[in-house]
Amino acid sequence: IFRLGDELSVRLPRRHGPTEPGSIELEWLPKLAPLLPVEIPLPIAQGRPIDTYPWFWEIHTWLDDGHIVAVRPKHAFAPFFQKRAKTRCKERERRDSNPRPPA
């Protein structure tokens, strides 16, 4: 990511970038932005490949460090992930307490 002036950034893939127009970020960031508790960079435009740079690239808004806010997300699936993590820990403890005999 490179800064472009005071308000924009340029995102250039370093390897294996997109060879077709459009991207998940171009499609979803504008839809997600109003739903999030923090400000996120928004896509402004997409650049096209040329002979010396074969991939599509993007221009996004730039957020200064003052926009970074630590939040604890209240994810709808948090209880599921917590239960899953506890189950995996118990399985690991059970497995570690009953080691397999050497082969």
Side-chain angles (χ1 to χ4, degrees):
I1 299 175
F2 297 93
R3 193 164 179 169
L4 179 63
D6 292 335
E7 299 179 4
L8 300 174
S9 66
V10 178
R11 296 180 179 202
L12 301 167
R14 294 188 327 176
R15 58 183 180 271
H16 308 294
T19 56
E20 299 289 327
S23 75
I24 292 173
E25 288 184 345
L26 284 171
E27 180 181 354
W28 283 99
L29 288 180
K31 294 175 185 177
L32 292 173
L35 306 173
L36 298 174
V38 295
E39 190 175 3
I40 60 172
L42 295 173
I44 302 296
Q46 186 173 52
R48 298 181 178 272
I50 58 173
D51 293 338
T52 56
Y53 191 79
W55 303 304
F56 284 86
W57 48 277
E58 297 175 4
I59 297 176
H60 289 243
T61 55
W62 177 265
L63 299 180
D64 286 324
D65 292 343
H67 290 88
I68 298 172
V69 177
V71 295
R72 184 178 181 108
K74 294 182 179 177
H75 195 279
F77 296 106
F80 167 77
F81 290 123
Q82 290 170 350
K83 183 178 178 183
R84 186 173 173 192
K86 286 180 185 177
T87 302
R88 286 190 173 185
C89 286
K90 288 179 183 178
E91 289 172 357
R92 183 174 290 134
E93 288 173 2
R94 196 174 321 126
R95 186 179 63 232
D96 291 345
S97 65
N98 297 318
R100 293 181 182 179

